[in-house]
Structure formats: C-alpha cells, structure tokens
C-alpha cells in the first residue's frame, strides 16, 4: 500500500471518528401498532403511554424481567452506564452538550451514575488494598498543623458530601470562567452543575482505570494520572464550550487552582466553627 493511500485511509478514519463524536446516536422509528396501557387504560399508538409513560412492552413477570430490572439498577440495561463510560472517554464534551440540549433518554442518569461510581471506587480501593488510611497521630508527629489534620479527616470521613460540595463549587467557577463567555451561549448555573457531575464521573472512571493498572502491574504513577485528568478536562471543556486549546487550558488550570483555594478556605472555616462550638 502506497504512502498516499495510507494517508487517505487515515484521513477517512479520522473524519468518520469526528463525525461519530458529534452525532453518535441514530434513531430508527419502527412500525407502531395501537396499544392499550395496562396501567391507566389509555389507548395510544407508540412504544410508551403518553398519559403515564409506561412502556407498551409490559409482560408477565419472569426471570428475564427480574434480571433486566437488576441490570437497570446498576446501569446495565437499555440506558447503559457502559455507554456513558465509553462516551465520557471518547467524546465527553459532546456527550454533555447532547444531555444539556435535551437528548437524555439514551444516557444513564448522571447523578445516579455518580453515586454508583463513588461506590465502585470505594469497593475497589477496599478490596484491592488501596484504602486510604490517614494516620493523624503520625501526621501530628511530623509537625503537620492540627487544623490541616482536622480538614483532611473531615473530608475523608464525609466523601460523598465532599464530592457534592466540590461539584457545586466547581460549577460556580466554571460558570464564571466558561459559562458567562458570550461565545459559549451563556450557560446557566444549573447546566454548569450537571456539567460538573459528568466531569466528576469522568474523573472517577480515570481513577478506576489507574487503580486497575496498579492491580495488574503493581505500579501506580500518580503524576501520570494527574496529567491524564487535566488533559481529559481540557478536552471536555473544549468540545463543550467550543473555545480554542490555549483559552481552554488556562481557564481550566486557573479554575482548578481557584477551586482548591476556595475549598480549603471553606472547609477551614467549617472546622473552626465546629471546634469553637465544642469549647463553648
């Protein structure tokens, strides 16, 4: 095969990939018969009842329906969490844009995915022996400030609360650095919150992958994980907001630094208030 043919083939594959990134889901309308809803009795034509939303494919309960229901709970049903994972890796910004624009039926709900991912990461770290145990006595012996120790303990003991608070804080800052830009169609705060839920899911997926890498190889490259996380976040924001690479990079870096500083100050104030109340 000649070099020109290889280049043309590679270019065609790249164009196909970019086209898939921007439009991955094609909907096909099947022949739809008249149905009567078993829930509310409404007669309709289609797959779902327009009155109550129940599917027209309701059948007698069987072992198959039991297994399907269990799979749906863990994101393995028709609205597949593995689809979310795949798209968050290959087209994260376009996925979020789809969701915000109203194309939500094909994706597993992001908040439900977030809690499942937090559970998965916790189980993986526990059973793989990566549990993060913070020794406050050892930290104090090394001269670490007691306030810092209290902050770390609080965050580790309230991980879900800490995760949700980080999402809210990052949403505010993303709204400031990205959403308010006239080129990004003025994304509102609620949309920024959903954006950060998707981004947090992406970060947890990468955490799972690196922990699995440690299980397989016995090596854990923390700096590499940080670089991958930063690169994925930049790619996500670039695809979602449509800014240039440099503009996206500096905004992302400043946003992360500002989030870290503000989060530390807020937790510090919270810990100080708790300590003050104990001594009253």
């Amino acid at each position: 095969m000649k070099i020109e043919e290889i280049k043309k083939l590679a270019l065609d594959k790249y164009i196909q990939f970019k086209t898939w990134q921007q439009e991955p889901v094609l909907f096909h309308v099947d022949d739809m018969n008249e149905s009567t809803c078993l829930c509310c009795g409404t007669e309709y034509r289609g797959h779902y009842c327009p009155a109550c939303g129940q599917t027209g494919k309701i059948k007698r309960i069987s072992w198959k329906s039991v297994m399907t229901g269990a799979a749906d709970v863990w994101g393995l049903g028709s609205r597949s969490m593995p689809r979310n994972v795949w798209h968050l890796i290959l087209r994260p910004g376009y996925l979020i844009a789809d969701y915000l624009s109203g194309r939500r039926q094909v994706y597993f709900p992001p908040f439900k995915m977030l809690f499942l991912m937090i559970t998965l990461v916790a189980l993986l770290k526990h059973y793989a022996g990566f549990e993060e145990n913070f020794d406050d006595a050892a930290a104090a012996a090394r001269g670490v400030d007691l306030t810092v120790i209290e902050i770390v303990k609080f965050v580790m003991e309230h991980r879900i609360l800490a995760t949700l608070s980080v999402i809210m804080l990052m949403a505010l800052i993303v709204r400031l650095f990205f959403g308010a830009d006239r080129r990004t169609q003025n994304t509102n705060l609620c949309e920024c919150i959903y954006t950060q839920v998707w981004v947090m899911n992406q970060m947890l997926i990468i955490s799972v992958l690196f922990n699995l890498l440690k299980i397989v190889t016995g090596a854990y490259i923390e700096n590499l994980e940080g670089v991958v996380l930063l690169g994925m976040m930049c790619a996500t924001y670039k695809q979602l907001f449509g800014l240039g690479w440099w503009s996206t990079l500096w905004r992302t870096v400043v946003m992360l630094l500002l989030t870290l500083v503000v989060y530390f100050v807020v937790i510090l104030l919270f810990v100080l208030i708790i300590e003050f109340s104990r001594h009253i």
Side-chain angles (χ1 to χ4, degrees):
M1 185 178 292
K2 297 181 179 180
I3 296 180
E4 291 77 11
E5 294 178 346
I6 296 176
K7 289 182 178 179
K8 184 178 183 303
L9 180 61
L11 179 60
D12 290 341
K13 293 296 183 182
Y14 176 74
I15 293 175
Q16 291 176 13
F17 175 70
K18 293 298 292 184
T19 302
W20 173 82
Q21 275 190 315
Q22 299 180 37
E23 193 65 35
V25 181
L26 296 176
F27 293 94
H28 300 281
V29 179
D30 300 323
D31 294 333
M32 294 181 288
N33 301 319
E34 291 285 349
S35 301
T36 300
C37 179
L38 299 177
C39 181
C40 64
T42 302
E43 294 184 357
Y44 65 96
R45 179 184 292 273
H47 298 298
Y48 296 90
C49 174
C52 68
Q54 178 165 282
T55 177
K57 297 181 179 179
I58 292 292
K59 298 179 181 179
R60 188 173 181 179
I61 295 176
S62 63
W63 284 111
K64 181 180 179 181
S65 63
V66 171
M67 297 299 294
T68 301
D72 284 336
V73 171
W74 291 96
L76 302 175
S78 58
R79 300 173 69 185
S80 173
M81 194 164 77
R83 181 206 296 270
N84 284 14
V85 172
W86 184 245
H87 285 219
L88 279 173
I89 293 174
L90 296 181
R91 53 181 303 274
Y94 296 126
L95 179 156
I96 298 172
D98 285 347
Y99 193 86
L100 297 182
S101 66
R103 302 182 69 178
R104 299 167 189 168
Q105 187 62 30
V106 295
Y107 300 113
F108 192 72
F111 273 98
K112 185 182 293 187
M113 180 179 180
L114 176 65
F115 290 111
L116 290 178
M117 288 300 303
I118 291 174
T119 302
L120 177 61
V121 171
L123 290 174
L124 182 63
K125 288 186 175 182
H126 177 74
Y127 288 105
F130 304 150
E131 191 71 47
E132 299 174 2
N133 296 316
F134 180 67
D135 191 340
D136 53 340
R142 293 196 302 269
V144 179
D145 187 79
L146 293 178
T147 303
V148 175
I149 293 175
E150 289 297 321
I151 291 175
V152 174
K153 287 174 61 178
F154 178 84
V155 171
M156 295 189 68
E157 291 172 0
H158 305 83
R159 295 186 183 183
I160 293 181
L161 178 61
T163 300
L164 293 176
S165 62
V166 168
I167 288 173
M168 295 297 296
L169 177 59
M170 291 184 72
L172 287 169
I173 300 176
V174 166
R175 173 72 178 83
L176 174 66
F177 280 89
F178 289 97
D181 194 298
R182 59 181 176 81
R183 291 169 291 179
T184 63
Q185 300 180 356
N186 197 26
T187 309
N188 64 43
L189 180 57
C190 289
E191 291 171 334
C192 287
I193 291 174
Y194 269 90
T195 295
Q196 288 313 121
V197 172
W198 282 114
V199 171
M200 185 62 69
N201 281 322
Q202 181 189 69
M203 295 171 67
L204 292 171
I205 290 168
I206 294 173
S207 176
V208 169
L209 293 176
F210 271 85
N211 278 287
L212 291 175
L213 178 65
K214 182 175 182 180
I215 293 175
V216 174
T217 64
Y220 180 65
I221 309 175
E222 186 175 359
N223 293 333
L224 179 60
E225 182 180 2
V227 172
V228 172
L229 284 171
L230 178 60
M232 290 297 294
M233 291 184 70
C234 286
T236 301
Y237 294 137
K238 183 181 185 303
Q239 291 177 6
L240 175 60
F241 296 111
L243 302 176
W245 277 111
W246 171 245
S247 180
T248 302
L249 176 61
W250 77 258
R251 290 166 191 257
T252 303
V253 171
V254 174
M255 181 268 294
L256 291 173
L257 292 175
L258 186 58
T259 300
L260 181 63
V261 172
V262 174
Y263 188 74
F264 183 84
V265 172
V266 170
I267 296 297
L268 173 60
L269 291 174
F270 190 72
V271 171
L272 290 176
I273 291 172
I274 293 177
E275 289 298 316
F276 179 75
S277 63
R278 289 176 180 176
H279 290 85
I280 294 179

